[in-house]
Amino acid sequence: MQSLDPSDATDLRALGHRMIDDMFDHLETLRDGPVWRPMPETVREGLRQPLPRDPTSAEAVYQDFRALVQPYATGNLHPRFMGWVHGGGNPAGMLAELLAAGLNANLGGRDHAPIEIERQVIAWAAEMLGFPADASGVLVTGTSIANLIGVLVARTAALGPSVRRTGAGGSGLVAYTSAAAHGCLPRAMDMAGLGRDAMRMIPFDDNGRMRIGALSRRIARDRALGLRPFLIAGTAGTVDTGAVDDLAALADVAARENLWFHVDGAYGATAMLAPSLRPVLAGIERADSVAFDFHKWAQVPYDAGCIVVRDASCQVAAFGAEAAYLRREQRGLAGGGIWPCDLGPDLSRGFRALKVWMTLRVYGAHRLGEVVRQTCDLAAALAARVDREPALERLAPVTLNIVCFRYIAADGDLDRLNADIVADVQEAGIAAPSTTMVNGALAIRAAIVNHRTTCADIDIMVDAILECGLARAGAACAGTGNKKPPVMHRGQVYREASRLGDVGANDPLPAAGAGTRAASLP
Ligand SMILES: *Cc1c(COP(=O)(O)O)cnc(C)c1O
């Protein structure tokens, strides 16, 4: 007999305990290490092996993880990771992953407690958004898929369930979003078979918000062409600058034009947990569907995206399963009403909900909202510092937690210079901002998402950018072109930087007290 469970688990148990201790050590000391380090070719080579035919001890495999994987991870745990929009994760969510894998539950359907946990998480999401309590939803990998589900639900609502048999070819469906929207929205139209050209990219104003007049005119023009407008997708927190569309105005247009109103709130929707930020998102509670991520601003470990649909019957109409072997019963394991596989494209699904449930309960919605507000305060402080520094120029208004700016030099290619500065700072391990284009200019983009980031971290990043900029601009004047400046020797500077970082080290997130039953948003 070949069971994979050990006859004597003593060693594996001990290893498991050590893994947990090691990972807590890692979390406690990561501030002292580099944000990110490039992966040496030898390490990459070390990971390439043929299909392992014979067993290797778990101890040896774990040593490989420690040596070859852990040191070369993305870096988003680190307080000075400010690139893209990455969540920082949290220890309660980490432990939940262990428990979820232990239960190995399949949340496609059937009648069991893990599905009740996911239903609870969806109810909390609905509560956060100001949606009715009977709204439906599922957890998915991320907002890319959640947006796709939103488009498919809106499509079925527009054309009726028969579209699932006939397809939407020739239906003339067209949708509207901001030119500042995330690329996954036009891609969702592509994947839905409607074509990305059918996603009209409406121009945005100086604050990065979709122009309402331009939207109304485009809808009228499409109708005049005999096309069939069906969907407006607003954005709460654009990926480039963090702008939030005027969601109430979009809700008005959608109501007037009888269109589905979807909101991509990938990270921005989480601002609903911060009372002082809620007014910025006013109108989101009127959406027909909202896509967002728990793995960004809500700090749940990857991956955890979410789609919530106001009218559950619309979501079931778009995805309800009919296969005979998925037959529902009134009693037994095949009971339990609407299953998650009736609400999205996945059949087998893991217990993603547990890490969301544990994160929300252990820290509480209030505390998570405080983290969101704190990162916005840090972004405001960064913007103020940028505005004070003569060598820096801010390139976009700051709505939430993203600051776009650049280093300015008297002459030369500023786009090249700023891209080099960002790569210098990343490779030195000091900080990890990223870049984007704002009004045709390459911007250094700092998205403050991590609950560990402090004021000191912001200053360390700005100091490093100024230092690299000066070294590079000076080098360019001396005619040495884009050569890497000597000041940034990897491994030296970050240690200096992290020593400084300790000064303002953040308190860890305290566990919220109380509450054994969590019926409403904790
Ligand atoms: C991150 C992001 C997405 C994509 O979400 P994933 O979870 O990466 O799939 C979509 N829209 C916006 C505005 C985002 O910030």
Side-chain angles (χ1 to χ4, degrees):
M1 298 298 285
Q2 280 287 359
S3 166
L4 301 181
D5 292 328
S7 50
D8 176 358
T10 311
D11 290 349
L12 200 55
R13 262 178 204 262
L15 179 64
H17 292 154
R18 225 174 70 225
M19 286 173 173
I20 291 177
D21 283 339
D22 288 348
M23 198 46 84
F24 273 96
D25 288 346
H26 180 58
L27 293 177
E28 282 164 17
T29 57
L30 63 95
R31 173 180 280 284
D32 300 329
V35 177
W36 171 82
R37 35 163 100 78
M39 202 173 173
E41 234 3 82
T42 49
V43 170
R44 227 179 275 274
E45 278 302 317
L47 290 172
R48 287 197 199 106
Q49 289 168 359
L51 180 69
R53 297 196 179 276
D54 298 314
T56 308
S57 76
E59 174 69 41
V61 176
Y62 179 54
Q63 288 315 322
D64 279 351
F65 169 83
R66 296 272 287 170
L68 305 177
V69 181
Q70 185 177 313
Y72 307 104
T74 330
N76 53 313
L77 291 175
H78 198 286
R80 284 190 297 282
F81 187 99
M82 303 177 201
W84 303 275
V85 176
H86 276 38
N90 76 83
M94 172 182 91
L95 295 174
E97 286 284 68
L98 176 71
L99 302 180
L103 284 187
N104 190 31
N106 183 338
L107 278 78
R110 293 154 291 270
D111 196 12
H112 51 93
I115 287 203
E116 284 306 323
I117 296 295
E118 180 154 342
R119 291 190 180 121
Q120 174 67 87
V121 164
I122 297 299
W124 286 340
E127 191 181 334
M128 174 183 94
L129 295 168
F131 268 35
D134 59 357
S136 59
V138 277
L139 297 181
V140 289
T141 44
T143 293
S144 301
I145 295 301
N147 278 334
L148 172 61
I149 293 175
V151 166
L152 289 169
V153 173
R155 173 209 63 168
T156 308
L159 299 180
S162 63
V163 69
R164 295 176 63 187
R165 274 185 293 106
T166 61
S171 61
L173 289 185
V174 282
Y176 305 85
T177 198
S178 163
H182 194 276
C184 68
L185 276 165
R187 204 160 62 111
M189 293 289 282
D190 158 12
M191 290 191 287
L194 301 170
R196 57 195 314 142
D197 289 352
M199 180 61 90
R200 312 305 204 196
M201 309 302 285
I202 306 299
F204 52 88
D205 64 19
D206 292 344
N207 289 314
R209 308 172 104 195
M210 196 191 319
R211 289 184 186 276
I212 304 297
L215 168 67
S216 298
R217 284 193 297 278
R218 188 70 207 248
I219 293 171
R221 203 164 94 212
D222 282 334
R223 287 203 200 281
L225 288 170
L227 296 170
R228 190 158 176 181
F230 79 112
L231 162 72
I232 297 174
T235 301
T238 62
V239 71
D240 286 325
T241 68
V244 179
D245 282 337
D246 184 341
L247 301 178
L250 294 183
D252 288 341
V253 175
R256 194 178 66 226
E257 299 281 350
N258 197 21
L259 308 180
W260 187 274
F261 179 35
H262 174 81
V263 174
D264 174 354
Y267 77 89
T270 311
M272 290 297 278
L273 296 179
S276 61
L277 294 171
R278 231 173 269 153
V280 179
L281 303 191
I284 198 171
E285 74 288 349
R286 292 168 61 194
D288 294 299
S289 54
V290 176
F292 73 99
D293 283 321
F294 282 108
H295 60 217
K296 287 179 173 169
W297 235 353
Q299 317 291 335
V300 172
Y302 285 92
D303 49 25
C306 184
I307 175 81
V308 183
V309 178
R310 169 180 303 278
D311 180 346
S313 70
C314 291
Q315 198 172 1
V316 175
F319 290 102
E322 288 150 20
Y325 84 101
L326 297 175
R327 216 174 103 91
R328 311 306 151 80
E329 303 291 350
Q330 290 307 309
R331 44 190 283 270
L333 186 53
I338 296 171
W339 291 355
C341 68
D342 296 319
L343 302 171
D346 295 313
L347 179 52
S348 294
R349 312 168 61 251
F351 197 2
R352 260 186 209 110
L354 189 65
K355 62 193 172 189
V356 183
W357 187 75
M358 278 190 69
T359 299
L360 280 164
R361 288 199 60 199
V362 168
Y363 304 108
H366 175 71
R367 183 81 193 163
L368 293 170
E370 282 289 299
V371 167
V372 165
R373 193 194 47 76
Q374 166 181 301
T375 57
C376 291
D377 291 350
L378 288 170
L382 170 57
R385 168 105 196 255
V386 166
D387 294 347
R388 278 199 310 275
E389 293 288 349
L392 299 178
E393 173 186 31
R394 193 143 59 81
L395 294 177
V398 175
T399 307
L400 297 171
N401 61 331
I402 295 180
V403 185
C404 290
F405 61 103
R406 65 175 172 176
Y407 188 89
I408 40 179
D411 49 25
D413 179 349
L414 283 186
D415 287 359
R416 187 68 260 149
L417 173 65
N418 279 278
D420 283 334
I421 290 172
V422 166
D424 286 347
V425 172
Q426 289 174 355
E427 288 184 357
I430 299 173
S434 57
T435 63
T436 192
M437 299 300 292
V438 177
N439 298 325
L442 186 130
I444 301 175
R445 173 174 163 287
I448 325 268
V449 184
N450 194 317
H451 55 94
R452 304 178 181 96
T453 306
T454 67
C455 278
D457 292 313
I458 300 290
D459 282 333
I460 290 166
M461 178 189 66
V462 175
D463 292 346
I465 286 169
L466 289 172
E467 201 177 334
C468 288
L470 194 62
R472 280 197 172 272
C477 292
T480 50
N482 278 332
K483 258 187 77 190
K484 194 172 163 172
V487 60
M488 287 298 150
H489 280 310
R490 186 183 308 147
Q492 268 172 346
V493 185
Y494 76 77
R495 270 195 289 277
E496 180 68 10
S498 38
R499 198 177 49 73
L500 290 171
D502 290 343
V503 176
N506 222 359
D507 295 329
L509 286 178
T516 44
R517 279 244 5 117
S520 66
L521 193 60

